[in-house]
């Protein structure tokens, strides 16, 4: 992946998409195949191999939404990083709030998964974010600092990791965080990286915003200082919407 805080836009399809949805990836490839931005589409596991073939030779990358912390073995229903690499996938999303809640993934497990991914040369997108209650109680800083500190493995570098700040209350709700809230949260996270790894790493690390990003608000979000891109959910499913978001980087 290119770095120097190059803009990074990822589309997380979550549990959506069937074979016919691959045409959306074809369109994104035809529009942005030569892009200088880092564009990653994260389709469900069933589409990874086909999607990977579609984008081969272009600048678009395909990523997985999860992986197991072990590289092989008796883990029914799981997918290992070696299997991902086998089909040309080199990026994995970890610690998404839906997995933290629905699959009971904690920081320790996310840390293990990230370490395994880094050891196998995968780039990780690691998500953190506070719930509505945590924000209401004034615990946003404490929550996201704790998640970051404990989810990041020792193998983490500014090149193999991208952080996504996704306030849980903004995911799929149409409630986007304000520019001020996004700016503050990103500054907290970058400062935490500075304390952990020093200024040089903190200044190179990319931090994305996610939570109800759409073609109407993306341009404003991309302009917030400290925001290096977006992790888009619902609005990444259709190439028409996702391409408008990508184009809004330069608006
Ligand atoms: P929405 O863009 O649908 O709110 O989802 C955000 C998200 O969770 C991306 O990972």
């Amino acid at each position: 992946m290119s770095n120097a805080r190059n803009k990074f836009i990822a589309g997380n399809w979550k549990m959506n998409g069937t074979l016919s949805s691959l045409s959306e990836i074809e369109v994104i490839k035809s529009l942005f195949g030569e892009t200088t931005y880092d564009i990653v589409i994260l389709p469900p596991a069933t589409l990874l191999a086909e999607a990977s073939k579609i984008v081969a030779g272009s600048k678009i990358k395909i990523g997985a939404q999860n992986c197991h912390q072990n590289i092989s073995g008796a883990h029914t229903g799981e997918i290992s990083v070696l299997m991902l690499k086998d089909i040309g996938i080199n990026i994995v999303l970890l610690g998404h709030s839906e997995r933290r809640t629905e699959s009971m993934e904690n920081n320790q497990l996310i840390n293990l998964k990230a370490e395994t991914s880094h050891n196998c040369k995968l780039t990780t997108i690691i998500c953190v974010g506070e719930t509505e209650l945590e924000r209401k109680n004034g615990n946003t800083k404490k929550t996201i600092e704790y998640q970051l500190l404990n989810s990041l493995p020792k193998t983490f570098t500014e090149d193999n990791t991208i952080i996504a700040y996704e306030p849980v209350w903004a995911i799929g709700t149409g409630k986007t965080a304000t520019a001020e809230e996004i700016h503050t949260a990103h500054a907290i996270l970058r400062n935490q990286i500075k304390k952990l790894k020093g200024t040089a790493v903190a200044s190179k690390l990319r931090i994305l915003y996610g939570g109800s990003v759409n073609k109407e608000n993306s341009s404003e979000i991309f302009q917030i200082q400290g925001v290096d891109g977006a992790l888009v959910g619902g609005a990444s499913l259709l190439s028409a919407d996702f391409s408008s978001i990508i184009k809004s980087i330069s608006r």
Side-chain angles (χ1 to χ4, degrees):
M1 297 249 87
S2 48
N3 196 333
R5 307 271 299 268
N6 194 36
K7 283 280 187 274
F8 193 110
I9 309 99
N12 176 12
W13 284 14
K14 308 190 180 184
M15 197 173 73
N16 296 292
T18 52
L19 284 174
S20 65
S21 322
L22 291 168
S23 60
E24 305 296 333
I25 297 177
E26 307 253 15
V27 176
I28 294 297
K29 182 194 164 186
S30 70
L31 291 173
F32 303 103
E34 301 300 318
T35 184
T36 54
Y37 305 131
D38 287 316
I39 299 176
V40 180
I41 299 173
L42 306 143
T46 50
L47 300 181
L48 287 173
E50 278 308 310
S52 177
K53 280 185 215 157
I54 290 172
V55 302
S58 81
K59 297 271 175 63
I60 312 291
K61 301 272 188 287
I62 300 297
Q65 297 174 19
N66 182 35
C67 68
H68 196 268
Q69 64 274 24
N70 293 320
I71 54 170
S72 67
H75 306 287
T76 303
E78 297 288 343
I79 296 177
S80 92
V81 291
L82 294 186
M83 296 167 184
L84 295 176
K85 285 182 77 84
D86 188 42
I87 53 166
I89 307 290
N90 293 299
I91 303 170
V92 63
L93 181 70
L94 295 172
H96 192 282
S97 70
E98 286 148 17
R99 292 205 61 84
R100 288 177 185 266
T101 317
E102 293 180 16
S103 305
M104 269 84 67
E105 291 198 2
N106 59 21
N107 293 311
Q108 193 189 3
L109 180 62
I110 295 157
N111 189 307
L112 284 175
K113 290 183 176 201
E115 184 172 357
T116 304
S117 303
H118 295 159
N119 287 338
C120 294
K121 307 267 177 286
L122 267 83
T123 299
T124 53
I125 305 173
I126 300 180
C127 307
V128 297
E130 80 288 358
T131 62
E132 192 155 33
L133 187 65
E134 285 161 341
R135 175 164 284 275
K136 227 158 100 196
N137 290 341
N139 288 329
T140 298
K141 181 171 186 286
K142 193 170 123 191
T143 304
I144 62 176
E145 280 184 345
Y146 185 82
Q147 287 176 341
L148 189 69
L149 202 63
N150 291 286
S151 307
L152 282 182
K154 288 198 183 68
T155 48
F156 145 79
T157 69
E158 70 275 27
D159 290 321
N160 70 16
T161 300
I162 289 109
I163 306 296
Y165 168 60
E166 293 206 311
V168 179
W169 51 271
I171 296 176
T173 57
K175 283 195 235 168
T176 321
T178 64
E180 176 72 32
E181 286 166 339
I182 296 172
H183 178 255
T184 304
H186 280 229
I188 289 168
L189 295 170
R190 202 172 296 284
N191 200 38
Q192 182 82 355
I193 298 295
K194 191 170 148 186
K195 282 194 210 152
L196 267 180
K197 292 271 186 174
T199 313
V201 172
S203 64
K204 288 186 211 140
L205 183 86
R206 285 176 291 180
I207 307 179
L208 317 179
Y209 170 75
S212 296
V213 175
N214 57 45
K215 59 183 186 225
E216 277 79 37
N217 62 23
S218 56
S219 171
E220 191 196 338
I221 290 168
F222 288 133
Q223 284 170 37
I224 301 169
Q225 200 203 347
V227 172
D228 301 305
L231 179 55
V232 186
S236 70
L237 294 173
L238 296 177
S239 53
D241 295 334
F242 196 45
S243 61
S244 294
I245 292 172
I246 297 167
K247 283 179 193 156
S248 76
I249 292 174
S250 54
R251 267 216 303 269

